């Protein structure tokens, strides 16, 4: 199969469509994470559908001092990876094609969620991201659009925009792809020296430490449900030789309220150690948030959450996250 390289929306619209169109939006410099998105798109679209990969470095997403000019542009290699992964076409428009007449005067605003975490660190970033995503959705006219969960806040905002503004497209999130050492795949990883990469691994190690603590806390929750931690019940259990179960239940009663706090603390220990490495990790934020609005969760929270981290190593800024489920929802899954 030959993967078509298309430069204009007219070229894309002229293609015959017989099935569902699935779109994967990228800024190029494709790697295995993007390839996973494309392969997933191929599976969803099926043999009769069409997979379109967009390659566009969006200037609206880059703030002052960010790496727009040095962002890698590797279209020939991208075309090859896209084709090998199952793409039918690569849509790589020029800036003038996406923004005819210059930067748009009317833009999408990300709202309160867009001002938190990544939005606080990169003002205007999410407004620019949503504006180009909206434009590319209109230009490519997909039935399905796929995005990586590594950019969790971006994915949440796209879902919110599609829901709030009635876009007729299904949004699919695809799990983060990691390298063998645990580092989340990113086009920016190529900027890291070997020493910087060793420090950067602290991001995923911190998330895994938080996840391990979460698993331990949730096991205590499950134990509490099995063995009620009342004084009378503890006495009854002790009487029949189950004092350990009673003790566990008592410990659970004290441990449960602080589960999110414990998760944050476990991750923070790793990041604090990384700040003393050479080169050091410069933490931007560590957050445990509700993915519906990216506000910090409280200790009595039940449901899906995201443990997210952002930091700099040298001049390279990296982000990562891991999904967690707290409480009764986790017990049912």
């Amino acid at each position: 199969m030959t993967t078509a390289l298309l430069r204009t929306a007219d070229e894309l619209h002229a293609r015959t469509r017989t099935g569902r169109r699935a779109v994967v939006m990228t800024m190029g410099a494709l790697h295995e994470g993007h390839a996973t998105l494309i392969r997933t798109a191929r599976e969803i679209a099926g043999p009769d559908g069409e997979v379109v990969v967009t390659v566009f470095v969006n200037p609206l997403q880059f703030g002052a001092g960010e790496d727009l000019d040095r962002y890698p542009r590797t279209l020939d290699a991208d075309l090859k990876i896209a084709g090998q992964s199952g793409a039918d076409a690569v849509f790589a428009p020029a800036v003038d094609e996406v923004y005819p007449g210059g930067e748009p005067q009317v833009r999408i605003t990300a709202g309160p969620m867009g001002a938190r975490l990544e939005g606080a660190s990169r003002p205007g970033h999410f407004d620019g991201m949503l504006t180009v995503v909206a434009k590319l959705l209109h230009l490519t006219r997909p039935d399905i659009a796929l995005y990586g969960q590594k950019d969790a806040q971006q994915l949440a905002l796209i879902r919110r925009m599609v829901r709030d503004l009635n876009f007729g497209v299904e949004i699919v999130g695809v799990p983060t792809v990691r390298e063998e050492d645990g580092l989340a795949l990113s086009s920016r990883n190529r900027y890291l020296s070997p020493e910087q990469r060793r420090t950067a691994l602290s991001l995923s190690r911190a998330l895994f430490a938080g996840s391990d603590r979460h698993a331990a806390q949730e096991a205590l929750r499950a134990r509490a449900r099995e063995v009620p931690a009342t004084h009378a019940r503890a006495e009854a259990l002790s009487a029949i030789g189950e004092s350990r179960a009673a003790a566990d239940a008592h410990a659970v009663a004290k441990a449960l309220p602080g589960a999110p706090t414990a998760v944050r603390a476990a991750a923070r220990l790793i990041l604090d150690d990384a700040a003393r490495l050479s080169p050091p990790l410069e933490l931007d934020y560590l957050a445990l948030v509700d993915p519906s609005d990216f506000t910090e969760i409280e200790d009595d929270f039940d449901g899906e959450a995201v443990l997210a981290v952002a930091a700099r190593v040298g001049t390279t800024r990296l982000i990562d996250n891991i999904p967690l489920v707290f409480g009764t929802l986790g017990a049912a899954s």
Side-chain angles (χ1 to χ4, degrees):
M1 179 182 71
T2 301
T3 302
L5 175 60
L6 311 174
R7 295 289 193 172
T8 69
D10 287 344
E11 291 176 317
L12 182 57
H13 297 164
R15 292 175 65 85
T16 301
R17 294 177 64 167
T18 58
R20 295 194 297 173
R21 175 177 286 171
V23 165
V24 175
M25 296 183 186
T26 82
M27 292 206 299
L30 301 190
H31 49 61
E32 180 57 28
H34 298 110
T36 299
L37 284 167
I38 298 166
R39 287 193 293 267
T40 304
R42 180 78 273 162
E43 292 173 5
I44 293 173
D48 297 327
E50 182 182 45
V51 175
V52 176
V53 176
T54 70
V55 174
F56 180 67
V57 181
N58 178 33
L60 299 189
Q61 288 175 234
F62 292 81
E66 294 189 332
D67 54 359
L68 173 62
D69 291 337
R70 73 170 186 141
Y71 197 88
R73 290 162 172 82
T74 56
L75 184 57
D76 289 343
D78 294 344
L79 189 62
K80 182 177 180 180
I81 291 173
Q84 291 172 341
S85 304
D88 298 289
V90 169
F91 178 50
V95 173
D96 289 346
E97 178 71 13
V98 178
Y99 302 122
E103 291 189 2
Q105 295 185 38
V106 177
R107 306 188 187 197
I108 302 292
T109 300
M113 195 197 316
R116 299 177 184 129
L117 299 187
E118 283 298 291
S121 298
R122 306 174 65 189
H125 167 74
F126 285 127
D127 291 355
M129 179 276 294
L130 289 178
T131 297
V132 80
V133 167
K135 298 236 353 158
L136 289 172
L137 287 174
H138 290 314
L139 290 170
T140 60
R141 303 174 184 174
D143 301 288
I144 309 142
L146 296 89
Y147 302 90
Q149 292 178 0
K150 184 176 92 62
D151 296 295
Q153 194 171 2
Q154 169 179 284
L155 175 59
L157 281 163
I158 291 170
R159 282 179 165 151
R160 189 71 192 220
M161 176 184 72
V162 165
R163 182 170 67 249
D164 287 355
L165 301 184
N166 301 102
F167 281 70
V169 61
E170 178 185 354
I171 302 300
V172 175
V174 178
T176 300
V177 178
R178 299 184 180 278
E179 301 190 41
E180 289 186 4
D181 57 10
L183 190 66
L185 281 172
S186 169
S187 301
R188 292 187 170 96
N189 290 353
R190 66 185 67 193
Y191 301 145
L192 299 170
S193 69
E195 295 77 16
Q196 290 172 336
R197 185 184 177 89
R198 282 194 289 272
T199 295
L201 290 174
S202 300
L203 271 73
S204 55
R205 283 202 294 264
L207 296 178
F208 297 151
S211 179
D212 289 345
R213 179 60 60 87
H214 166 264
Q217 294 289 119
E218 290 302 309
L220 288 177
R221 283 179 181 262
R223 185 61 175 160
R225 287 187 289 269
E226 293 171 4
V227 186
T230 65
H231 181 69
R233 179 62 170 159
E235 287 185 343
L237 289 167
S238 296
I240 60 174
E242 296 186 25
S243 57
R244 177 57 185 274
D248 284 351
H250 180 68
V252 166
K254 291 186 176 181
L256 285 181
T261 296
V263 168
R264 292 185 185 96
R268 173 72 67 170
L269 281 175
I270 304 297
L271 298 171
D272 287 347
D273 286 343
R276 295 186 286 270
L277 296 176
S278 180
L281 185 83
E282 298 176 16
L283 183 64
D284 189 344
Y285 62 75
L286 171 70
L288 183 56
V289 299
D290 182 339
S292 69
D293 59 9
F294 269 69
T295 57
E296 291 280 353
I297 66 171
E298 303 292 337
D299 279 347
D300 60 353
F301 181 84
D302 268 11
E304 296 180 359
V306 173
L307 181 62
V309 64
R312 288 187 183 275
V313 182
T315 60
T316 303
R317 187 175 186 276
L318 300 171
I319 63 172
D320 201 352
N321 72 83
I322 194 167
L324 302 172
V325 180
F326 288 88
T328 54
L329 182 59
S333 62

